[in-house]
Each structure stands twice: as C-alpha cells, then as structure tokens.
Amino acid sequence: DGVTEVLAHRRESLRDKFVEIPCSEDYDSHKRFEGCTPRKCGRGVTDAVITREEAERIRRIAERGLSLGGSDGGASILDLHSGALSLGKHFVNLYRYFGDKIQDIFTEEDFALYRDVRQRIQQRIAQAFGISSASMYLTKPTFFSRINSTEAKTTHDEYWHPHVDKVTYGSFDYTSLLYLSDYTEDFGGGRFVFMDAGSNKTVEPRAGRVSFFTSGSENLHRVEKVHWGTRYAITISFTCNPDHGIGDPVL
C-alpha cells in the first residue's frame, strides 16, 4: 500500500492544481500527432470548471438512464454514445432496447448540457497541457458509472484493479473524470488512486470536481472499493487521432 498522499481533499475547493510528471514510452508505439500527442505529461484537478449545480443536473441524467437497467454487481455503466447500458450480467443497447421511450427519459437540454460540459473539460485539458483543443477528439468509451457496495458478479463489476488507460483502450491520450457525488457524504471508499513508485496519490471525489491526466503508464491508477452508499462519475476521454474520434451523443 505504501505511503498515501492526498492530492485533492473533498473539503477543499481547488481552482487549479497541476502536477507535471515524466511521460512514459506508451505513446511511442502509436502514431504521433504533433501539437497533441503528449510531450508534457501529468495530472490535474479543478473545482472551477463545472459547478456543483451542473454536476447535480448531470447526475440526474445518469440516475434516469441507469434506472432503466443496472448491473447485478456493484458497478453499472451508461454510455450515451453507443447506447451501452448495464443490465443484469450483460449490456444492452439502450436506444434499440427502449426505442422511442428514450424521449421520455432524456431531453434535448440534457444532451446540450452534456455537450457543454464536455467542451469545457476539453478546453481545460488543452490549456493545462499547452495544446490546441481543436487537435483533440472525443473518443470511446465515454460513460457514466454508478458504483455501490454490491458484490461483483462478473469481471465487468471489478472496477478496482490497477490499470493504464492507454494500454487498456489504445485510443486514449487524455482521460478526465467528472465526479457527480461526494466522498464521505454520499459514499465511503471509492477514492481515485494514482499509483506511483513508493506512494499513492489520492483524489477524493466531490460533485463538480474534474480530475484529468495523460493516459499512459505514467498515470497507473485504480479506484478503491466503495464500502457504502453510491458513487456517480462520468469518464470523458480524448484522442489525438481523428480516426478514433466520435461525435457528441444526440437524442
């Protein structure tokens, strides 16, 4: 377990916290895009991009969507782009499965808020890493997660294993998380942990907090198991490769 250092406490409101770290070699095995592929690597946390009120509105989108399904285990996902929704031990396509009923669940305003939030996070990441936001593309998977303390039933429910996004997904260059609930208020456990040699750097979730980082092995990470309550977040990821870009979800 090593030494744990808290990078961002729930109770503090951080304008901009950024830690630069040396880049791993993961990016060398993929096509490089000048002006976008990370040459400066690191991780940042900000509470100044998305308001708590906006985070609550987004959490309600997640709650409505996930109320249509949910995993038998403790981790459920909802992907508005692909339509992937946890249902029991499997996934269904929300749009095919529920058809026109989707119009009763989500509104145009929901999707407009989602787009606006995604753009602001993209601009913040570009600013932190000194690149143009126009050179970044939204990539998949980009999804809501709802985690509670229910025992895992399938490997999809085992969210707590250490991993590297670039290794897992390939297309990821920059990863962000927008937290939609509060550590110690809404849930226990569930902190985000960067696993560095000799120490852990933790981020305590807080509604409206954005944590972002370069997706290579320099940012090996995991999420602690949630012990009680429910933890909501949304993972929004970006690639430098236009071939892996996706559009915003549309109703």
Side-chain angles (χ1 to χ4, degrees):
D1 282 340
V3 180
T4 297
E5 188 184 312
V6 180
L7 190 62
H9 289 272
R10 180 187 74 82
R11 294 186 183 284
E12 59 186 338
S13 179
L14 296 167
R15 178 129 201 96
D16 284 306
K17 185 163 192 172
F18 185 79
V19 180
E20 190 170 347
I21 47 179
C23 293
S24 63
E25 293 173 0
D26 295 351
Y27 308 99
D28 299 340
S29 54
H30 294 264
K31 187 176 174 188
R32 291 194 79 90
F33 293 84
E34 278 317 310
C36 180
T37 300
R39 291 209 178 274
K40 169 185 176 180
C41 292
R43 52 188 74 145
V45 183
T46 176
D47 295 313
V49 174
I50 310 301
T51 67
R52 285 185 74 84
E53 188 263 337
E54 286 168 332
E56 280 161 20
R57 283 169 57 201
I58 291 177
R59 188 177 77 211
R60 287 197 288 273
I61 299 173
E63 286 169 344
R64 290 200 303 274
L66 285 160
S67 71
L68 300 171
S71 161
D72 287 346
S76 302
I77 73 149
L78 164 66
D79 182 333
L80 291 180
H81 297 264
S82 67
L85 172 71
S86 302
L87 189 67
K89 292 187 175 64
H90 308 282
F91 295 96
V92 294
N93 184 313
L94 179 77
Y95 301 120
R96 282 209 293 271
Y97 201 78
F98 294 100
D100 293 341
K101 290 200 191 99
I102 287 300
Q103 308 283 347
D104 303 330
I105 309 291
F106 304 120
T107 65
E108 289 292 356
E109 288 77 25
D110 292 338
F111 281 65
L113 175 62
Y114 184 98
R115 280 195 300 275
D116 180 41
V117 161
R118 188 271 304 162
Q119 283 162 351
R120 276 185 272 159
I121 292 172
Q122 183 167 342
Q123 284 158 0
R124 181 68 202 88
I125 294 172
Q127 190 185 341
F129 290 102
I131 60 174
S132 159
S133 78
S135 67
M136 299 164 67
Y137 303 88
L138 192 63
T139 192
K140 63 184 184 187
T142 285
F143 55 91
F144 288 105
S145 56
R146 180 185 72 195
I147 304 175
N148 60 32
S149 59
T150 308
E151 192 184 333
K153 300 291 192 291
T154 70
T155 52
H156 290 296
D157 298 323
E158 295 182 20
Y159 56 85
W160 54 81
H161 300 296
H163 65 279
V164 172
D165 291 347
K166 187 83 185 149
V167 174
T168 306
Y169 299 112
S171 63
F172 285 27
D173 289 304
Y174 299 94
T175 306
S176 74
L177 292 145
L178 167 60
Y179 296 109
L180 305 175
S181 46
D182 290 322
Y183 172 65
T184 69
E185 291 279 314
D186 300 311
F187 60 91
R191 294 181 302 173
F192 184 96
V193 184
F194 289 109
M195 302 174 72
D196 296 342
S199 77
N200 288 334
K201 310 286 194 306
T202 62
V203 175
E204 299 180 351
R206 163 190 165 110
R209 169 166 287 169
V210 177
S211 168
F212 60 90
F213 49 93
T214 44
S215 307
S217 303
E218 67 279 358
N219 282 313
L220 173 70
H221 61 273
R222 68 183 187 91
V223 172
E224 293 175 332
K225 286 187 182 181
V226 169
H227 302 307
W228 59 267
T230 307
R231 176 194 193 269
Y232 282 94
I234 177 168
T235 301
I236 302 179
S237 310
F238 300 95
T239 183
C240 294
N241 188 339
D243 293 345
H244 293 303
I246 59 173
D248 283 304
V250 287
L251 193 56

